[in-house]
Amino acid sequence: MASVSAQPESSSRTFYIETFGCQMNAHDSEKVIGTLVQQGYTQVEEEEAAELILYNTCSIRDKAEQKVFNRLNDYKKLYKQGKRFAVLGCVAQQEGEKIFERAPYVSIVSGSASYNRLPQMLTQLQAGGQRITGLDDRQTEETFETEFTARSNPHRGYITIIEGCDKFCAYCVVPYTRGKERSRTSTSVLAEARKMADAGYTEIQLLGQNVNSYLDPEEKKSFAELLAAVGEVAGIRRVRFTTSHPRHFSRDIVEAIDAVPSLCDHVHLPVQSGSSRVLGMMNREYSREQYLERISWIKAAKRPISLTTDMIVGFPGETPEDFEDTVSLLGEVQYDGVFGFKYSPRPNTPAISMADSIAEEEKSLRLQLLFDRQREIQRINYAKHVGETLEVMVEGYNSARGQVIGRTSQNKTLNFTTSLPIYPAQGSYVPVRVTQSYPNSLVGEAV
Ligand code: SAH
Ligand code: SF4
Ligand code: F3S
């Protein structure tokens, strides 16, 4: 992430921030950085150079809280040099004041639902305050909006449209760490989109734990209408959205993609399991058949829409037959990408006390089988692009290979060569003919 400094104060306080977890966290950090800079702080690249060290944490899997404590422990010696620590994000909300007991040198513990109060927390810190908290027990109706967002990329940027989660899937910490579901007004989302377009952004990614649960507090727009409206903002060439929940995936989203060319032809629709029995135990509130019905709507779109998903293997009680259902779903849907995870028991969640846990080795075996099957599917899917000409947005360069790194509307990586003496600029759009394919990327030549 690029460093941002306050203008014109040069003798300001310094901070270091490190971000873990999902895109929501990445974008929260951009807003936190903007807020700190506005408060007179300057970002630095190393813990050693900072007065205030912030960790924006994630708690989704794998003893995440322990990793945060280990990290804090590694750096606690810096406290004696006057440095202060803040723990933000999902582990902060989950562990709350317990963090002060295990790591007494931490000064601020704040979950994402309290970031509006960061300026006050910083004032308290500067006044010598200790054990400063911003913890929310699924109470707040507020969303975290700031005009000072320090976006790290000048061409494509995130906009949060909905925060929190009310779904309570049996395995998941998010409803306990991010507060209840609350949407921004479509007026404020569109104002931010226009401002980004004016600043030269051409790609916007709408964010939320469940973007399609979006409910405009002003009742002006549905999610599909908001999506279409963002896609119609002058200057915006690509709009993405993540994550969609299958339960709320309605046909009008596909109709919006059909109607508005700037809406990217990619839908990430996490399924978690291909077995209706396991989906029931997970409290996902849809069956395999209902999920496949939504997939059929997406496949009936005018443009081919790329599909990706998240899957969990080894949920308590998942039998070999249930797992077979998950593997067979891969073949049925033909995803272009699968994020697969071994089920990881998480504090506070109902699944932690469920019977019939699956051995770690068995989970690893199932995950490997899942990936092996999916790799074959992707090899075939990606090969279908050879010979096509696709528009890519330039993301970077691989000078060792003499390639430009680009991304297609379907969110596929397409690396290409060009006969021009200079590389096309980052953020520009280039038509590229695909000449070669791999299971995870394409190769081509600029036309
Ligand atoms: N809101 C999104 C997912 C957010 S979390 C949705 O409902 O789809 C991202 C992914 O992490 C989930 O889709 C799930 O596959 C995975 N995940 C969440 N909790 C998990 C757990 N306890 N163990 C393993 N994977 C988990
Ligand atoms: Fe977690 Fe389920 Fe909410 Fe997604 S929908 S964030 S998996 S509880
Ligand atoms: Fe992690 Fe919190 Fe995101 S748990 S995945 S940072 S919502």
Side-chain angles (χ1 to χ4, degrees):
M1 198 175 280
S3 296
V4 181
S5 56
Q7 304 287 335
E9 279 179 74
S10 54
S11 60
S12 66
R13 301 184 170 86
T14 51
F15 74 97
Y16 167 90
I17 187 166
E18 198 166 325
T19 308
F20 305 85
C22 62
Q23 291 148 312
M24 302 277 286
N25 248 21
H27 185 45
D28 279 346
S29 283
E30 293 180 334
K31 293 192 262 188
V32 168
I33 293 168
T35 304
L36 282 159
V37 169
Q38 217 276 325
Q39 296 291 311
Y41 283 78
T42 300
Q43 187 177 9
V44 295
E45 297 295 335
E46 273 130 33
E47 268 120 328
E48 283 75 8
E51 288 167 45
L52 175 60
I53 296 166
L54 306 105
Y55 296 120
N56 188 4
T57 60
C58 170
S59 172
I60 204 79
R61 282 175 289 271
D62 303 333
K63 305 191 176 77
E65 45 289 328
Q66 193 50 49
K67 287 181 192 157
V68 175
F69 285 118
N70 293 347
R71 184 55 179 268
L72 283 167
N73 204 34
D74 288 346
Y75 281 92
K76 74 176 173 197
K77 57 181 186 295
L78 298 178
Y79 180 79
K80 295 204 183 71
Q81 302 166 16
K83 299 187 191 301
R84 293 295 172 259
F85 291 87
V87 181
L88 308 181
C90 291
V91 173
Q93 181 63 46
Q94 175 185 299
E95 299 294 306
E97 304 208 4
K98 279 188 274 175
I99 292 177
F100 297 131
E101 264 108 69
R102 284 185 67 179
Y105 43 90
V106 169
S107 301
I108 298 178
V109 170
S110 174
S112 64
S114 304
Y115 292 162
N116 281 331
R117 292 205 295 106
L118 273 176
Q120 290 93 303
M121 292 186 230
L122 293 170
T123 308
Q124 280 174 271
L125 181 73
Q126 284 151 23
Q130 273 297 332
R131 297 176 70 115
I132 303 160
T133 55
L135 298 170
D136 163 79
D137 219 0
R138 294 186 55 83
Q139 299 297 320
T140 193
E141 296 284 354
E142 284 174 20
T143 51
F144 179 38
E145 295 172 34
T146 163
E147 58 183 299
F148 303 113
T149 306
R151 289 197 166 83
S152 55
N153 181 304
H155 311 291
R156 57 181 156 85
Y158 299 124
I159 300 182
T160 309
I161 63 165
I162 176 169
E163 297 182 30
C165 181
D166 287 349
K167 299 289 184 290
F168 292 95
C169 300
Y171 50 81
C172 184
V173 292
V174 172
Y176 312 94
T177 64
R178 292 232 154 216
K180 66 175 164 191
E181 237 166 58
R182 51 209 194 275
S183 298
R184 276 173 75 175
T185 64
S186 58
T187 310
S188 110
V189 172
L190 284 165
E192 187 165 0
R194 286 191 202 102
K195 203 173 142 190
M196 285 171 71
D198 290 345
Y201 285 84
T202 59
E203 180 175 318
I204 286 177
Q205 184 160 351
L206 303 180
L207 288 184
Q209 284 304 338
N210 297 292
V211 273
N212 54 337
S213 300
Y214 177 80
L215 203 63
D216 189 352
E218 297 174 335
E219 295 178 28
K220 286 186 182 160
K221 287 193 170 29
S222 67
F223 171 64
E225 287 166 344
L226 176 64
L227 190 60
V230 173
E232 275 155 4
V233 168
I236 297 303
R237 291 179 65 157
R238 285 184 175 182
V239 181
R240 305 183 184 280
F241 53 99
T242 195
T243 298
S244 302
H245 193 288
R247 182 176 154 76
H248 300 285
F249 196 92
S250 47
R251 265 191 146 131
D252 57 358
I253 300 173
V254 181
E255 286 158 10
I257 298 176
D258 276 345
V260 183
S262 63
L263 302 187
C264 288
D265 31 18
H266 169 222
V267 173
H268 182 62
L269 198 62
V271 66
Q272 314 302 356
S273 169
S275 152
S276 294
R277 199 182 75 84
V278 173
L279 289 170
M281 297 193 296
M282 287 177 164
N283 192 30
R284 288 292 286 181
E285 299 195 337
Y286 55 83
S287 62
R288 176 189 176 103
E289 291 68 35
Q290 285 167 326
Y291 181 83
L292 283 171
E293 187 185 19
R294 278 135 186 89
I295 295 293
S296 72
W297 298 341
I298 299 170
K299 288 194 171 171
K302 290 181 188 154
R303 291 176 270 165
I305 295 180
S306 174
L307 285 157
T308 55
T309 199
D310 295 348
M311 285 178 164
I312 296 177
V313 301
F315 187 78
E318 182 189 72
T319 63
E321 294 73 35
D322 292 320
F323 175 64
E324 269 309 304
D325 286 344
T326 296
V327 176
S328 76
L329 190 79
L330 296 178
E332 211 155 321
V333 178
Q334 300 280 318
Y335 294 106
D336 280 333
V338 172
F339 298 89
F341 309 104
K342 290 190 270 185
Y343 165 71
S344 165
R346 305 303 298 127
N348 309 324
T349 61
I352 199 165
S353 48
M354 283 182 183
D356 299 324
S357 67
I358 312 283
E360 216 39 46
E361 308 80 75
E362 180 60 25
K363 287 186 205 168
S364 303
L365 210 68
R366 291 184 190 180
L367 192 61
Q368 196 51 52
L369 282 167
L370 188 86
F371 286 149
D372 290 347
R373 174 76 186 102
Q374 180 56 26
R375 199 177 163 77
E376 288 317 305
I377 292 171
Q378 278 176 227
R379 192 188 303 284
I380 295 165
N381 285 0
Y382 273 65
K384 288 180 186 157
H385 290 295
V386 173
E388 289 178 356
T389 296
L390 302 172
E391 186 182 66
V392 303
M393 185 205 226
V394 175
E395 292 196 334
Y397 312 94
N398 183 338
S399 9
R401 287 191 174 171
Q403 279 180 334
V404 183
I405 302 166
R407 189 167 294 273
T408 69
S409 170
Q410 286 198 339
N411 209 31
K412 289 173 179 151
T413 300
L414 170 44
N415 301 321
F416 63 97
T417 49
T418 165
S419 53
L420 295 174
I422 45 165
Y423 282 153
Q426 225 165 55
S428 62
Y429 291 83
V430 180
V432 177
R433 200 173 60 82
V434 181
T435 54
Q436 230 184 314
S437 71
Y438 297 98
N440 262 312
S441 66
L442 302 168
V443 178
E445 291 159 1
V447 295

mmCIF file of all heavy atoms in Angstrom, residues 280-305:
data_model
loop_
_atom_site.group_PDB
_atom_site.id
_atom_site.type_symbol
_atom_site.label_atom_id
_atom_site.label_comp_id
_atom_site.label_asym_id
_atom_site.label_seq_id
_atom_site.Cartn_x
_atom_site.Cartn_y
_atom_site.Cartn_z
ATOM 1 N N GLY A 280 -27.875 -27.236 4.981
ATOM 2 C CA GLY A 280 -28.847 -27.074 6.071
ATOM 3 C C GLY A 280 -28.134 -26.933 7.412
ATOM 4 O O GLY A 280 -28.431 -26.030 8.194
ATOM 5 N N MET A 281 -27.157 -27.805 7.657
ATOM 6 C CA MET A 281 -26.418 -27.742 8.936
ATOM 7 C C MET A 281 -25.634 -26.433 9.039
ATOM 8 O O MET A 281 -25.411 -25.911 10.120
ATOM 9 C CB MET A 281 -25.470 -28.937 9.055
ATOM 10 C CG MET A 281 -26.193 -30.277 9.098
ATOM 11 S SD MET A 281 -25.124 -31.643 9.613
ATOM 12 C CE MET A 281 -23.911 -31.708 8.313
ATOM 13 N N MET A 282 -25.205 -25.921 7.890
ATOM 14 C CA MET A 282 -24.447 -24.658 7.878
ATOM 15 C C MET A 282 -25.354 -23.446 8.049
ATOM 16 O O MET A 282 -24.859 -22.332 8.191
ATOM 17 C CB MET A 282 -23.708 -24.502 6.542
ATOM 18 C CG MET A 282 -22.510 -25.399 6.350
ATOM 19 S SD MET A 282 -21.867 -25.113 4.673
ATOM 20 C CE MET A 282 -20.234 -25.851 4.831
ATOM 21 N N ASN A 283 -26.655 -23.647 7.965
ATOM 22 C CA ASN A 283 -27.623 -22.544 8.031
ATOM 23 C C ASN A 283 -27.474 -21.572 6.854
ATOM 24 O O ASN A 283 -27.581 -20.355 7.004
ATOM 25 C CB ASN A 283 -27.477 -21.783 9.359
ATOM 26 C CG ASN A 283 -28.627 -20.833 9.605
ATOM 27 O OD1 ASN A 283 -29.749 -21.085 9.152
ATOM 28 N ND2 ASN A 283 -28.366 -19.734 10.306
ATOM 29 N N ARG A 284 -27.209 -22.129 5.655
ATOM 30 C CA ARG A 284 -27.043 -21.253 4.487
ATOM 31 C C ARG A 284 -28.385 -20.821 3.894
ATOM 32 O O ARG A 284 -28.441 -19.910 3.063
ATOM 33 C CB ARG A 284 -26.205 -21.963 3.406
ATOM 34 C CG ARG A 284 -24.744 -22.085 3.752
ATOM 35 C CD ARG A 284 -24.038 -20.759 3.776
ATOM 36 N NE ARG A 284 -23.791 -20.207 2.444
ATOM 37 C CZ ARG A 284 -23.168 -19.054 2.226
ATOM 38 N NH1 ARG A 284 -22.739 -18.320 3.245
ATOM 39 N NH2 ARG A 284 -22.974 -18.623 0.997
ATOM 40 N N GLU A 285 -29.436 -21.521 4.236
ATOM 41 C CA GLU A 285 -30.786 -21.129 3.807
ATOM 42 C C GLU A 285 -31.023 -21.218 2.300
ATOM 43 O O GLU A 285 -31.762 -20.426 1.719
ATOM 44 C CB GLU A 285 -31.143 -19.725 4.322
ATOM 45 C CG GLU A 285 -31.118 -19.688 5.840
ATOM 46 C CD GLU A 285 -31.805 -18.468 6.430
ATOM 47 O OE1 GLU A 285 -31.921 -17.454 5.726
ATOM 48 O OE2 GLU A 285 -32.232 -18.547 7.589
ATOM 49 N N TYR A 286 -30.346 -22.182 1.664
ATOM 50 C CA TYR A 286 -30.690 -22.570 0.290
ATOM 51 C C TYR A 286 -30.249 -24.009 0.109
ATOM 52 O O TYR A 286 -29.392 -24.495 0.868
ATOM 53 C CB TYR A 286 -30.026 -21.667 -0.765
ATOM 54 C CG TYR A 286 -28.527 -21.572 -0.633
ATOM 55 C CD1 TYR A 286 -27.678 -22.545 -1.171
ATOM 56 C CD2 TYR A 286 -27.940 -20.516 0.055
ATOM 57 C CE1 TYR A 286 -26.307 -22.467 -1.019
ATOM 58 C CE2 TYR A 286 -26.565 -20.433 0.220
ATOM 59 C CZ TYR A 286 -25.754 -21.409 -0.326
ATOM 60 O OH TYR A 286 -24.390 -21.337 -0.174
ATOM 61 N N SER A 287 -30.848 -24.688 -0.871
ATOM 62 C CA SER A 287 -30.461 -26.062 -1.167
ATOM 63 C C SER A 287 -29.575 -26.061 -2.411
ATOM 64 O O SER A 287 -29.454 -25.042 -3.101
ATOM 65 C CB SER A 287 -31.713 -26.896 -1.452
ATOM 66 O OG SER A 287 -32.363 -26.369 -2.602
ATOM 67 N N ARG A 288 -28.978 -27.207 -2.698
ATOM 68 C CA ARG A 288 -28.197 -27.364 -3.934
ATOM 69 C C ARG A 288 -29.049 -26.972 -5.146
ATOM 70 O O ARG A 288 -28.591 -26.258 -6.038
ATOM 71 C CB ARG A 288 -27.750 -28.828 -4.039
ATOM 72 C CG ARG A 288 -26.997 -29.162 -5.326
ATOM 73 C CD ARG A 288 -26.796 -30.669 -5.437
ATOM 74 N NE ARG A 288 -26.165 -31.028 -6.684
ATOM 75 C CZ ARG A 288 -24.885 -31.364 -6.809
ATOM 76 N NH1 ARG A 288 -24.097 -31.389 -5.753
ATOM 77 N NH2 ARG A 288 -24.392 -31.697 -7.977
ATOM 78 N N GLU A 289 -30.296 -27.418 -5.151
ATOM 79 C CA GLU A 289 -31.179 -27.155 -6.297
ATOM 80 C C GLU A 289 -31.449 -25.653 -6.446
ATOM 81 O O GLU A 289 -31.428 -25.124 -7.550
ATOM 82 C CB GLU A 289 -32.505 -27.916 -6.151
ATOM 83 C CG GLU A 289 -32.371 -29.431 -6.295
ATOM 84 C CD GLU A 289 -31.589 -30.090 -5.143
ATOM 85 O OE1 GLU A 289 -31.706 -29.626 -3.979
ATOM 86 O OE2 GLU A 289 -30.844 -31.059 -5.420
ATOM 87 N N GLN A 290 -31.704 -24.992 -5.313
ATOM 88 C CA GLN A 290 -31.959 -23.540 -5.393
ATOM 89 C C GLN A 290 -30.704 -22.807 -5.872
ATOM 90 O O GLN A 290 -30.786 -21.853 -6.645
ATOM 91 C CB GLN A 290 -32.397 -23.000 -4.031
ATOM 92 C CG GLN A 290 -33.833 -23.385 -3.708
ATOM 93 C CD GLN A 290 -34.165 -23.135 -2.240
ATOM 94 O OE1 GLN A 290 -33.332 -23.285 -1.354
ATOM 95 N NE2 GLN A 290 -35.410 -22.756 -1.999
ATOM 96 N N TYR A 291 -29.558 -23.244 -5.408
ATOM 97 C CA TYR A 291 -28.309 -22.632 -5.858
ATOM 98 C C TYR A 291 -28.159 -22.813 -7.368
ATOM 99 O O TYR A 291 -27.869 -21.865 -8.106
ATOM 100 C CB TYR A 291 -27.117 -23.249 -5.119
ATOM 101 C CG TYR A 291 -25.790 -22.640 -5.523
ATOM 102 C CD1 TYR A 291 -25.335 -21.458 -4.957
ATOM 103 C CD2 TYR A 291 -24.999 -23.245 -6.507
ATOM 104 C CE1 TYR A 291 -24.127 -20.891 -5.342
ATOM 105 C CE2 TYR A 291 -23.789 -22.685 -6.898
ATOM 106 C CZ TYR A 291 -23.361 -21.505 -6.305
ATOM 107 O OH TYR A 291 -22.162 -20.941 -6.703
ATOM 108 N N LEU A 292 -28.400 -24.042 -7.835
ATOM 109 C CA LEU A 292 -28.239 -24.326 -9.268
ATOM 110 C C LEU A 292 -29.246 -23.548 -10.116
ATOM 111 O O LEU A 292 -28.965 -23.200 -11.264
ATOM 112 C CB LEU A 292 -28.359 -25.834 -9.526
ATOM 113 C CG LEU A 292 -27.108 -26.628 -9.133
ATOM 114 C CD1 LEU A 292 -27.368 -28.128 -9.217
ATOM 115 C CD2 LEU A 292 -25.914 -26.239 -10.009
ATOM 116 N N GLU A 293 -30.400 -23.258 -9.542
ATOM 117 C CA GLU A 293 -31.369 -22.442 -10.282
ATOM 118 C C GLU A 293 -30.788 -21.045 -10.540
ATOM 119 O O GLU A 293 -30.868 -20.512 -11.652
ATOM 120 C CB GLU A 293 -32.673 -22.336 -9.487
ATOM 121 C CG GLU A 293 -33.769 -21.640 -10.272
ATOM 122 C CD GLU A 293 -35.039 -21.412 -9.456
ATOM 123 O OE1 GLU A 293 -34.981 -21.450 -8.209
ATOM 124 O OE2 GLU A 293 -36.080 -21.166 -10.079
ATOM 125 N N ARG A 294 -30.171 -20.480 -9.510
ATOM 126 C CA ARG A 294 -29.540 -19.158 -9.697
ATOM 127 C C ARG A 294 -28.417 -19.227 -10.728
ATOM 128 O O ARG A 294 -28.241 -18.326 -11.537
ATOM 129 C CB ARG A 294 -29.025 -18.641 -8.356
ATOM 130 C CG ARG A 294 -30.138 -17.999 -7.549
ATOM 131 C CD ARG A 294 -30.152 -18.411 -6.102
ATOM 132 N NE ARG A 294 -31.302 -17.884 -5.394
ATOM 133 C CZ ARG A 294 -32.485 -18.508 -5.310
ATOM 134 N NH1 ARG A 294 -32.695 -19.659 -5.931
ATOM 135 N NH2 ARG A 294 -33.481 -17.967 -4.633
ATOM 136 N N ILE A 295 -27.661 -20.309 -10.681
ATOM 137 C CA ILE A 295 -26.590 -20.477 -11.678
ATOM 138 C C ILE A 295 -27.200 -20.510 -13.086
ATOM 139 O O ILE A 295 -26.650 -19.925 -14.033
ATOM 140 C CB ILE A 295 -25.789 -21.775 -11.390
ATOM 141 C CG1 ILE A 295 -25.048 -21.674 -10.048
ATOM 142 C CG2 ILE A 295 -24.834 -22.104 -12.541
ATOM 143 C CD1 ILE A 295 -23.935 -20.659 -9.986
ATOM 144 N N SER A 296 -28.362 -21.157 -13.217
ATOM 145 C CA SER A 296 -28.968 -21.237 -14.558
ATOM 146 C C SER A 296 -29.410 -19.849 -15.035
ATOM 147 O O SER A 296 -29.304 -19.544 -16.218
ATOM 148 C CB SER A 296 -30.134 -22.233 -14.574
ATOM 149 O OG SER A 296 -31.237 -21.685 -13.878
ATOM 150 N N TRP A 297 -29.857 -18.977 -14.124
ATOM 151 C CA TRP A 297 -30.193 -17.610 -14.538
ATOM 152 C C TRP A 297 -28.938 -16.910 -15.056
ATOM 153 O O TRP A 297 -28.971 -16.216 -16.068
ATOM 154 C CB TRP A 297 -30.726 -16.781 -13.356
ATOM 155 C CG TRP A 297 -31.979 -17.297 -12.735
ATOM 156 C CD1 TRP A 297 -32.894 -18.161 -13.282
ATOM 157 C CD2 TRP A 297 -32.472 -16.973 -11.414
ATOM 158 N NE1 TRP A 297 -33.910 -18.394 -12.396
ATOM 159 C CE2 TRP A 297 -33.687 -17.678 -11.244
ATOM 160 C CE3 TRP A 297 -32.014 -16.163 -10.374
ATOM 161 C CZ2 TRP A 297 -34.439 -17.589 -10.076
ATOM 162 C CZ3 TRP A 297 -32.764 -16.076 -9.218
ATOM 163 C CH2 TRP A 297 -33.963 -16.787 -9.066
ATOM 164 N N ILE A 298 -27.833 -17.087 -14.307
ATOM 165 C CA ILE A 298 -26.590 -16.400 -14.685
ATOM 166 C C ILE A 298 -26.097 -16.926 -16.037
ATOM 167 O O ILE A 298 -25.652 -16.164 -16.898
ATOM 168 C CB ILE A 298 -25.516 -16.574 -13.582
ATOM 169 C CG1 ILE A 298 -26.012 -15.950 -12.271
ATOM 170 C CG2 ILE A 298 -24.184 -15.970 -14.005
ATOM 171 C CD1 ILE A 298 -25.154 -16.262 -11.043
ATOM 172 N N LYS A 299 -26.247 -18.242 -16.234
ATOM 173 C CA LYS A 299 -25.772 -18.822 -17.501
ATOM 174 C C LYS A 299 -26.649 -18.422 -18.681
ATOM 175 O O LYS A 299 -26.222 -18.537 -19.834
ATOM 176 C CB LYS A 299 -25.690 -20.344 -17.384
ATOM 177 C CG LYS A 299 -24.517 -20.760 -16.503
ATOM 178 C CD LYS A 299 -24.203 -22.220 -16.629
ATOM 179 C CE LYS A 299 -22.896 -22.521 -15.899
ATOM 180 N NZ LYS A 299 -22.620 -23.935 -15.802
ATOM 181 N N ALA A 300 -27.864 -17.967 -18.405
ATOM 182 C CA ALA A 300 -28.759 -17.554 -19.489
ATOM 183 C C ALA A 300 -28.551 -16.084 -19.876
ATOM 184 O O ALA A 300 -29.254 -15.557 -20.739
ATOM 185 C CB ALA A 300 -30.213 -17.785 -19.072
ATOM 186 N N ALA A 301 -27.564 -15.424 -19.274
ATOM 187 C CA ALA A 301 -27.306 -14.011 -19.591
ATOM 188 C C ALA A 301 -26.856 -13.867 -21.039
ATOM 189 O O ALA A 301 -26.405 -14.832 -21.662
ATOM 190 C CB ALA A 301 -26.238 -13.460 -18.654
ATOM 191 N N LYS A 302 -26.950 -12.627 -21.556
ATOM 192 C CA LYS A 302 -26.590 -12.401 -22.962
ATOM 193 C C LYS A 302 -25.095 -12.581 -23.206
ATOM 194 O O LYS A 302 -24.674 -13.058 -24.244
ATOM 195 C CB LYS A 302 -27.014 -10.990 -23.373
ATOM 196 C CG LYS A 302 -28.529 -10.843 -23.459
ATOM 197 C CD LYS A 302 -28.907 -9.431 -23.900
ATOM 198 C CE LYS A 302 -30.408 -9.220 -23.787
ATOM 199 N NZ LYS A 302 -30.750 -7.791 -23.586
ATOM 200 N N ARG A 303 -24.278 -12.135 -22.213
ATOM 201 C CA ARG A 303 -22.832 -12.350 -22.320
ATOM 202 C C ARG A 303 -22.480 -13.564 -21.470
ATOM 203 O O ARG A 303 -23.105 -13.767 -20.436
ATOM 204 C CB ARG A 303 -22.069 -11.165 -21.710
ATOM 205 C CG ARG A 303 -22.161 -9.883 -22.446
ATOM 206 C CD ARG A 303 -21.428 -8.798 -21.661
ATOM 207 N NE ARG A 303 -22.279 -8.103 -20.709
ATOM 208 C CZ ARG A 303 -21.841 -7.324 -19.723
ATOM 209 N NH1 ARG A 303 -20.547 -7.153 -19.548
ATOM 210 N NH2 ARG A 303 -22.686 -6.720 -18.914
ATOM 211 N N PRO A 304 -21.450 -14.343 -21.848
ATOM 212 C CA PRO A 304 -21.015 -15.415 -20.939
ATOM 213 C C PRO A 304 -20.483 -14.787 -19.650
ATOM 214 O O PRO A 304 -19.624 -13.910 -19.698
ATOM 215 C CB PRO A 304 -19.891 -16.108 -21.701
ATOM 216 C CG PRO A 304 -19.918 -15.568 -23.094
ATOM 217 C CD PRO A 304 -20.638 -14.263 -23.070
ATOM 218 N N ILE A 305 -21.013 -15.194 -18.510
ATOM 219 C CA ILE A 305 -20.583 -14.639 -17.226
ATOM 220 C C ILE A 305 -19.714 -15.671 -16.510
ATOM 221 O O ILE A 305 -20.103 -16.824 -16.362
ATOM 222 C CB ILE A 305 -21.804 -14.258 -16.368
ATOM 223 C CG1 ILE A 305 -22.571 -13.115 -17.055
ATOM 224 C CG2 ILE A 305 -21.374 -13.860 -14.955
ATOM 225 C CD1 ILE A 305 -23.790 -12.643 -16.302
#
